[in-house]
Structures are given as structure tokens and as C-alpha cells.
Amino acid sequence: MGNPRTGLRTEPGSFRDPANRVFHLDGDVLRGLDEQAAGDWRALATSEFFPPLLAAGKVCGTEAVEPPAVPSGDRWAAVLRHERIPFVSHPYEWSFTMLRDAALLHLEILRAALPAGFTTKDGSAYNLQWRGAEPVFIDVGSFTPARDGEPWAGYRQFCQTLLYPLLLGAHLRLDFQPWLRARVDGIEPDQMRRLFGGTRRLLPGVLTHVHLHDAMQRRNARASTADVRSQLRAAGYSRELALATVRGIEKLVRRLEHRPAASHWVDYQRTCAYTADDRAAKERFVAEALADGPRPRLALDLGANDGRYARLAARHADYVVAVEQDPAVVDGLYRELRAQGERRILPLVMDLADPSPGGGWRGVERASFADRAGADAVLALAVVHHLAIGRNVPLPEVLDWLVGLAAPGARVVVEFVHPEDPMARRLLANKPEGLFPDYRPAEFERLLAARCRIARRLDLPSGTRTLYTAVVGG
């Protein structure tokens, strides 16, 4: 559901459920349903629980439309149109509290569905997206009638992509993002069991949802799904028991907290080398750059830290994605935005020197960060020196990457930190002398001018930092 495209395009990440498929047409997000799924949709739309979820914005806006022309070979009994999510993100780009809030929304929806005779086929974290700091459930095709005696089909997915990452953060103080990025299907119970041996198995949620879950999977490895369902029905498994299980998981998830270790980036705005005059001049420059021209639909704030400039950008842009590498910093920003009811700033965890690649089937099931970007404004403030000096990325490649995130005609606001600046000197002190002979203002400006039209330039009062507004393709 990323940037609008003209013409029919099938969503690469929508293929695992043959009963429905998502595609894009002239900016619309559409979902084709087969006969069975169309019947489920009609029952869902007239149920007592679903319309209130739609009205509250907990499920993405959805309406039935007349079927348009669809790809050759596809025959749909019904077509739905969904609201477009401003920027699609992946769970390994979320902070701990974001993942927990997404999990709680999924459970809340399931808890409402079960008494009304519905369940969800899936339990994946990828079924949720964000409107700023507000989670929203997007997989309307996942709803299906519940059958007595059958367990929640999405339980394993929920554990692997939501509950287990939360247990890693809460109990072991590990960042879950690398684990989820490595496997599109999440963390297997067998892997979790090895991490939670000994007395760790007594930690909340571990014995039931890790060890018992793993044991049952191994015991039923050779049994068919129908056999397992028959065994559960014979044992008296009911919809009421399923609802009690969901309530128990919800209670567990609410109690999980992550207390990350202290990091340099948490206090970066306080400890960085800006004077009051520098900061005021910088904010004026950024505001004028964003206000000069058409209102950006999407703005990226790269290296957002506490969100100071993301908030400034939100005054001038429809939607802002604030990217920061430290999960603790992003979590703090998310909590603030959530408390303020902010729906136009999305904070994401990402190392800019190792941005999210394409993943999943054929590397396109989960689109890369660059493929999702196409921003109308890109803020790269106090970022270039961290990439060029801190991570040894050549200046031409840094600029190529920044320009590649922008749409034609977009504004790129970039800050160059001179070699004599205290922050640059700190980075250079840890590098061999003479390693960066081309890291100097004149060379940076030459490289930028070769890729964009430089519209404005400002030396900050301290004299060791220069700001540029450049127009891509201008």
C-alpha cells in the first residue's frame, strides 16, 4: 500500500492466501475475493462487531466496489477498496512499544470477533500498519467464521512475529529487530526454547507459549491439521476456551516491558555541539525549505533522534517518516507521539548505513526502504558525517543514496558538518590519519551540485556546519 501508481499492479506481498489478493489501480488499494471469501465478507460487514471497529479506525477503511478489470486469469466474486496507508513499514522497523501496541490491537480485534462467531486465519505482525502513532489492522481478508472445536489458526504466527520478539525484549533485554529482519516468518519455538532454558522457563509466558508450544508442535509434527482439530474437539476445546486463551495472552502482553540499556543517542540533542544561535538558524532554514514549493505529501527525517525536526516537518508536510537507528530513542519518541495522538509522524528503527532491504519470497514480498520511499522532501541533518566518517561510506555514495530516496522535483535538505567541527573531530579521532582526504566542504558542495540544483545555502553561526536545500532533477 505504498506510493500511488497509475495502472494495474498486483501487490508482491499478497499471495499466501489464495482466497484473496491485493492489487493497486490508479492509486486505489483493492482486494479481490473468491466466492468463499466474498461470502465471509458479506457476513462480516453485517456483523455486530466489525462496523464499530471500522468506525473507530482500528481496522483500515474498507468498502465493496464494482469489480474493475483485473489481471488476466484472475476471477473475483467481489472486490473491496481499502484506505491507503501513508507509508508501509515492517515489524523489524518498529520499537518495542510499537510492536506491543500492534499485538494488543490484534488481540483486541480477535477478542471482539470470537463471541460474534468470527476468527482470523492469520496472526502475523504484517497484518498491522500505522497511521502515525496509531496502529491499524489491514488484513480484512483474514476474517473467517469460527468453528467450534478449532484453535486459533493464527496462534503460531502471532507467537513467532509478535509474542516471541516481545519476550526477547522484556525478559532478555535483546533488541528483536535483527531477529525479525532475518526471517520473514519470525522466530521459531525451537529457537526460543534454547534461549529460555533453566530457570528462564519460569518467566511469564515462557512455559506455556514457548516450551509447551514447542512440545506440542514436535508431538504433532506428523499429524495432519484435521487430526489435530479432531483431537481438540474430542478433548472439549470450545470457542469459550479459545476466548479465554486470547484474554490470557492479552494480559501477558500488557505486562511486558522493555528497559533498554543507556545509550549515547538518548542524550544526543543535549550533548551535541549546537549553540542556541545555530539551532535557531537551522530551524528557520529547514522550515523555509519545506514551505518553499508544493506541500510535500511524504517527508523523510533521516537520523530523527528525538523528533524535533520531524515535528517541524509535520507542519509543512502531509506525512513524516522519522528514521532513527537506536530502538530506545525511537521507543521514547513513539510514546510521546502516541500520548499526543499524533497521526502524521511515523517513527521507525533503522540503521541508515544498513537500511531495510527487500525480503521474503524473491526479495520483493517485503519492499526495501528505498523502494517504499519516493519522498517529496528528505531531511538529512547531522547525518552525512556519521555515514561518511563513522561508517566509511564514500561521500558520492552517501549523496547517491539520499537522492535515490527522493521523487523527481523533491527537496533535499542536507547538513554538512565540517572536519573541524567537534562532532566530526570526535569521529575522526578514531580513524587512521588521512583516511578521508575528500571530506571537505568544497568537495561536498561540488558532489551535491552534480546531482541536484542547489537552491539555498547557509553557514551556521558557529562556522563549522553548512546547510543546503537541493532540488532533485532541478
Side-chain angles (χ1 to χ4, degrees), residues 39-270:
D40 291 346
W41 159 252
R42 288 189 287 271
L44 181 69
T46 56
S47 68
E48 292 185 359
F49 86 96
F50 186 73
L53 292 175
L54 273 179
K58 295 180 178 181
V59 176
C60 68
T62 303
E63 61 180 352
V65 295
E66 286 299 315
V70 294
S72 176
D74 288 344
R75 296 292 182 270
W76 302 113
V79 173
L80 308 178
R81 178 167 57 209
H82 298 306
E83 70 171 283
R84 178 172 291 279
I85 300 302
F87 188 88
V88 171
S89 59
H90 304 320
Y92 45 84
E93 298 166 347
W94 305 346
S95 72
F96 179 90
T97 308
M98 292 176 74
L99 192 74
R100 188 182 65 184
D101 285 353
L104 288 172
L105 176 61
H106 202 143
L107 293 168
E108 177 188 350
I109 289 171
L110 184 60
R111 181 165 44 80
L114 283 169
F118 280 84
T119 185
T120 56
K121 292 183 278 187
D122 310 305
S124 173
Y126 292 93
N127 288 351
L128 297 117
Q129 283 298 324
W130 297 87
R131 303 185 196 97
E134 177 187 73
V136 54
F137 188 87
I138 64 168
D139 191 9
V140 173
S142 177
F143 288 102
T144 188
R147 295 175 177 82
D148 284 329
E150 293 190 5
W152 176 29
Y155 173 70
R156 176 173 178 170
Q157 281 187 330
F158 183 89
C159 286
Q160 293 186 182
T161 63
L162 287 160
L163 181 58
Y164 290 171
L166 292 172
L167 292 179
L168 287 182
H171 295 330
L172 302 185
R173 298 180 71 185
L174 293 175
D175 291 330
F176 64 80
Q177 290 84 3
W179 298 72
L180 287 185
R181 175 168 155 170
R183 287 182 56 87
V184 70
D185 292 327
I187 310 168
E188 295 283 347
D190 178 62
Q191 296 294 315
M192 288 291 290
R193 176 177 57 82
R194 299 179 196 186
L195 291 170
F196 285 92
T199 58
R200 285 179 177 174
R201 70 175 58 214
L202 302 179
L203 291 167
V206 172
L207 194 60
T208 299
H209 300 292
V210 175
H211 287 274
L212 182 58
H213 185 190
D214 179 60
M216 290 183 65
Q217 281 201 173
R218 285 186 281 117
R219 188 185 71 183
N220 295 322
R222 297 184 180 180
S224 68
T225 301
D227 289 340
V228 173
R229 289 173 177 170
S230 296
Q231 293 171 15
L232 287 169
R233 279 193 292 268
Y237 191 87
S238 64
R239 194 181 307 171
E240 289 72 22
L241 190 56
L243 184 59
T245 300
V246 171
R247 287 176 175 150
I249 299 173
E250 187 176 20
K251 183 178 179 181
L252 166 65
V253 170
R254 287 190 186 280
R255 291 168 53 195
L256 296 176
E257 290 285 352
H258 179 49
R259 295 176 178 82
S263 96
H264 162 72
W265 300 105
V266 170
D267 292 323
Y268 182 75
Q269 286 291 356
R270 182 175 58 83

Side-chain angles (χ1 to χ4, degrees), residues 291-427:
D292 183 20
R295 181 178 177 86
R297 178 188 57 83
L298 173 66
L300 302 180
D301 182 12
L302 306 177
N305 198 261
D306 65 0
R308 174 188 294 266
Y309 293 97
R311 290 182 172 93
L312 190 157
R315 301 174 198 165
H316 304 279
D318 293 341
Y319 201 74
V320 180
V321 176
V323 180
E324 169 59 44
Q325 72 173 11
D326 191 314
V329 175
V330 175
D331 207 57
L333 175 58
Y334 167 72
R335 287 172 180 260
E336 291 177 3
L337 296 172
R338 181 186 62 178
Q340 296 160 2
E342 179 58 69
R343 296 181 57 173
R344 294 189 303 113
I345 301 175
L346 172 66
L348 295 180
V349 178
M350 196 180 307
D351 180 354
L352 296 178
D354 185 20
S356 299
W361 172 242
R362 299 178 67 187
V364 297
E365 185 180 356
R366 308 298 174 205
S368 71
F369 178 65
D371 286 342
R372 287 173 279 149
D376 305 303
V378 177
L379 305 185
L381 306 171
V383 164
V384 169
H385 62 299
H386 288 293
L387 294 173
I389 302 175
R391 305 299 286 274
N392 289 37
V393 181
L395 271 181
E397 295 200 23
V398 173
L399 288 173
D400 285 344
W401 180 68
L402 290 177
V403 171
L405 297 177
R411 284 152 279 170
V412 177
V413 185
V414 60
E415 178 176 10
F416 184 75
V417 177
H418 300 196
E420 60 270 21
D421 184 90
M423 299 304 290
R425 288 205 309 267
R426 186 180 302 176
L427 292 172

Side-chain angles (χ1 to χ4, degrees), residues 276-297:
D277 288 343
D278 276 2
R279 194 181 299 279
K282 181 175 176 178
E283 290 183 4
R284 284 195 302 271
F285 185 92
V286 173
E288 290 170 4
L290 291 169
D292 183 20
R295 181 178 177 86
R297 178 188 57 83

